[in-house]
Amino acid sequence: MTAIKENSTRNFNKKNSATFCPITYVMNKIGGHWKPIILYQLSIGPKRYSELKRSIPNITEKMLIQHLKQLQEDDLVLRTAEPVVPPFVTYSLTLAGTKLQPVLNAMAVWGLDDMEIRK
């Protein structure tokens, strides 16, 4: 897989637009197919990796690991590892992640309404 250049025009424009537009800022943090689903699953409560994988069966391990790391870097998810063998790791929402719950719930309500209209 090709690495994305940090100094590319696309990255510059993405960072620059996030400075001025709150929607762009949010989409940079939670955009994509899997991140909102992961956050929604964690809004129910802390989960271990295997519980997350079971609750989102179509996500690949690579994507789950990648998105969990990105959500950690964006301070939306907290990874807690217990120093035991085998490792006991749980994922939960940070305060910033918890503040996203009304947004995710609104997305779910809108989705249910729109799905009902289109039946």
Side-chain angles (χ1 to χ4, degrees):
M1 185 162 124
T2 306
I4 297 172
K5 290 181 5 184
E6 287 299 318
N7 61 350
S8 70
T9 303
R10 180 181 175 275
N11 279 340
F12 174 78
N13 290 339
K14 187 175 177 182
K15 288 177 185 175
N16 194 35
S17 66
T19 305
F20 301 107
C21 178
I23 299 297
T24 303
Y25 178 83
V26 172
M27 292 309 295
N28 285 345
K29 297 229 180 230
I30 68 165
H33 181 77
W34 297 112
K35 285 183 184 179
I37 298 168
I38 294 167
L39 291 169
Y40 191 76
Q41 289 298 322
L42 291 175
S43 72
I44 298 165
K47 286 188 174 12
R48 295 185 67 183
Y49 176 85
S50 58
E51 293 173 308
L52 271 173
K53 181 72 178 99
R54 271 194 305 274
S55 64
I56 314 169
N58 294 330
I59 192 170
T60 64
E61 288 191 27
K62 177 185 181 251
M63 291 307 290
L64 182 55
I65 291 167
Q66 181 180 328
H67 287 308
L68 283 169
K69 285 181 181 179
Q70 290 171 356
L71 289 166
Q72 282 177 255
E73 289 170 9
D74 287 334
D75 193 35
L76 298 174
V77 169
L78 178 65
R79 180 184 186 270
T80 307
E82 300 292 329
V84 294
V85 177
F88 187 88
V89 177
T90 56
Y91 294 92
S92 58
L93 294 178
T94 63
L95 179 59
T98 302
K99 288 181 178 181
L100 274 172
Q101 279 185 301
V103 174
L104 297 171
N105 288 336
M107 289 170 59
V109 168
W110 181 87
L112 288 170
D113 289 346
D114 198 56
M115 288 165 46
E116 188 64 33
I117 290 169
R118 298 186 188 284
K119 279 188 180 181

